[in-house]
Amino acid sequence: MEAIALIPGTKKIRLVDRPEPVITADDEIKIRIIRVGICGTDREEISGGRAMAPEGYKDLVIGHEMFGQVIATGKNTTRVKSGDFAVLTVRRGCGKCLPCHMNRSDMCETGEYKERGIWGLDGYQAEFVVDHELYAVKVPEEIEPTGVLIEPLSISEKAIHEALGLQFARVPGAMATPLWLNGRRCLVAGLGPVGLLAAMALVLRGAEVYGLDIVDANSVRPRWLTAIGGRYIDGRQVPAARLGSEVGSFDLILEAAGAPDLDFNLLEALNRSGIYMVTGIPGRESPIKIPGAALIKQLVLSNQLMAGSVNASLDHFQMAVNDLLTANLSWPGHVEKLITHRYPFKVFLTAFAGHPVNEIKTTTEWWGGME
Ligand code: BGC
């Protein structure tokens, strides 16, 4: 079968011929890939950044945001059957720590996990994949056009779910409010797919959502946001360090930009008892200057929480499915507009090159699905 592979640490990506995977265990399923999304992590990988080939191999099949159709199942499978649309999670556990034993490798404690298409395991830019059913979530037909967005949305779902859980733990009385987010001012920083999908999940939970980026208000990303009721803030007009004083402060900030200097500046806009979830992974690691003492003082005196969140569990994937179903009813046809560019997999070089201004999500298209 054909697959797109990278020699980690280099910029060498090419179409390779790999053996077609076969089911070898009763709990495995075989999926034919329909499309795969490309994100910042993929582009970081193919520019020589963070990526690791499977043990004993020189190259890594990339891609971790997949959507496909089940074409075969082992005898002991119960949740998906042939013909179902499905998505697979990304991380595979270390097999040593408790979270990994509980299928919560997104919280792995040893750091010895693997990630399909990123770290030590082949990914999904290929014609077929085989994996354990345990890692699959079934995708209802109604959201077939947006199924490829489940993985990036799962990242936002985890961050939001954690934020809610942490607030409830800190102020149990808040449990009396059925929806803590309802009417709360939330800021999403960085309007890439993860940020826009986070904005969508927050709007669906009744929040007053603001999105921050540095693009023109009439370009695709801000327009997508405002169409679902979000408000756009152009960071070139309102500097991050003055956001709170100029636009008002926020109970929840969800960062999806991967820009550390911006991240720390945004603390100015965090409300008392507010929570700040960081999901962006900076590509560069050059040091930045921050007013450390003042920020620590603010965190303590205002009971603020800043937490990092990475990857997602099967439950977060399921939450993403549920939100996409609701979003489809709330704004029919709108979510799929996030997919702005589609390329046949053979022209992957163009797909990976990127289109900064009018691009939201680019996909490689592998197969049209069964009739
Ligand atoms: C992926 C996550 C992964 C993270 C770190 C992100 O782009 O969506 O699944 O855990 O990169 O490798």
Side-chain angles (χ1 to χ4, degrees):
M1 69 169 184
E2 291 188 284
I4 303 169
L6 161 81
I7 301 182
T10 74
K11 297 181 181 170
K12 284 185 203 142
I13 40 168
R14 62 202 168 102
L15 215 50
V16 294
D17 188 29
R18 286 274 159 120
E20 189 176 315
V22 290
I23 292 185
T24 55
D26 290 346
D27 69 333
E28 285 181 339
I29 59 173
K30 181 167 177 174
I31 295 181
R32 187 157 182 189
I33 300 288
I34 292 178
R35 64 181 59 90
V36 183
I38 296 173
C39 81
T41 298
D42 297 293
R43 291 195 170 127
E44 167 73 16
E45 287 178 55
I46 65 155
S47 62
R50 195 171 59 91
M52 183 166 82
E55 219 179 313
Y57 287 82
K58 274 212 180 77
D59 58 0
L60 166 79
V61 174
I62 54 176
H64 60 278
E65 298 182 2
M66 58 76 79
F67 173 73
Q69 194 163 24
V70 178
I71 53 164
T73 55
K75 283 206 298 283
N76 285 347
T77 50
T78 50
R79 291 187 297 112
V80 295
K81 55 180 191 326
S82 278
D84 285 348
F85 293 117
V87 164
L88 290 168
T89 60
V90 178
R91 200 177 270 193
R92 302 293 171 262
C94 67
K96 295 179 184 167
C97 68
L98 192 57
C100 285
H101 280 299
M102 295 165 67
N103 200 19
R104 283 298 310 267
S105 57
D106 61 305
M107 299 300 289
C108 177
E109 289 173 0
T110 64
E112 294 172 36
Y113 59 80
K114 291 179 176 167
E115 287 182 340
R116 293 202 67 162
I118 305 172
W119 202 248
L121 282 179
D122 276 344
Y124 305 131
Q125 292 279 14
E127 285 178 86
F128 302 94
V129 288
V130 166
D131 214 326
H132 300 284
E133 189 195 32
L134 176 70
Y135 305 124
V137 59
K138 180 175 160 172
V139 181
E141 224 174 303
E142 297 93 303
I143 54 166
E144 180 271 334
T146 52
V148 73
L149 300 171
I150 291 171
E151 197 278 341
L153 177 53
S154 74
I155 303 294
S156 309
E157 296 287 356
K158 174 174 172 179
I160 294 168
H161 192 244
E162 285 183 326
L164 283 174
L166 288 164
Q167 291 303 66
F168 289 159
R170 295 201 303 165
V171 194
M175 289 293 274
T177 315
L179 276 172
W180 182 80
L181 282 168
N182 198 29
R184 297 257 171 198
R185 283 169 58 91
C186 297
L187 174 73
V188 175
L191 298 180
V194 171
L196 287 172
L197 288 163
M200 180 192 87
L202 291 167
V203 170
L204 289 176
R205 285 158 184 75
E208 192 180 312
V209 180
Y210 293 74
L212 173 74
D213 212 309
I214 46 169
V215 291
D216 290 341
N218 65 1
S219 59
V220 281
R221 297 163 190 241
R223 277 201 316 229
W224 192 92
L225 173 75
T226 49
I228 60 165
R231 297 169 210 198
Y232 178 59
I233 303 169
D234 186 339
R236 296 167 305 184
Q237 282 158 21
V238 190
R242 290 210 310 272
L243 203 61
S245 38
E246 294 195 11
V247 186
S249 45
F250 299 94
D251 299 308
L252 170 69
I253 299 180
L254 196 151
E255 180 277 352
D261 35 3
L262 166 75
D263 297 355
F264 282 106
N265 276 332
L266 285 179
L267 272 167
E268 186 267 345
L270 190 60
N271 221 344
R272 284 180 175 278
S273 303
I275 183 157
Y276 187 155
M277 299 300 299
V278 186
T279 72
I281 305 170
R284 292 168 291 110
E285 285 182 13
S286 38
I288 51 163
K289 239 180 156 169
I290 54 163
L295 289 180
I296 298 285
K297 185 171 162 190
Q298 179 194 323
L299 283 180
V300 175
L301 290 180
S302 301
N303 275 311
Q304 293 172 333
L305 202 59
M306 190 176 184
S309 178
V310 72
N311 199 252
S313 73
L314 197 68
D315 285 346
H316 303 121
F317 274 69
Q318 190 58 56
M319 289 174 198
V321 168
N322 299 349
D323 274 353
L324 285 176
L325 283 166
T326 316
N328 197 35
L329 296 174
S330 306
W331 311 287
H334 185 64
V335 182
E336 62 196 87
K337 291 190 192 142
L338 285 174
I339 306 169
T340 50
H341 295 76
R342 298 169 192 271
Y343 293 94
F345 71 90
K346 300 236 186 214
V347 288
F348 65 94
L349 284 178
T350 317
F352 279 99
H355 310 262
V357 187
N358 63 353
E359 179 194 44
I360 305 181
K361 175 60 72 188
T362 292
T363 60
T364 48
E365 302 287 321
W366 285 83
W367 183 52
M370 284 178 207
E371 285 302 298

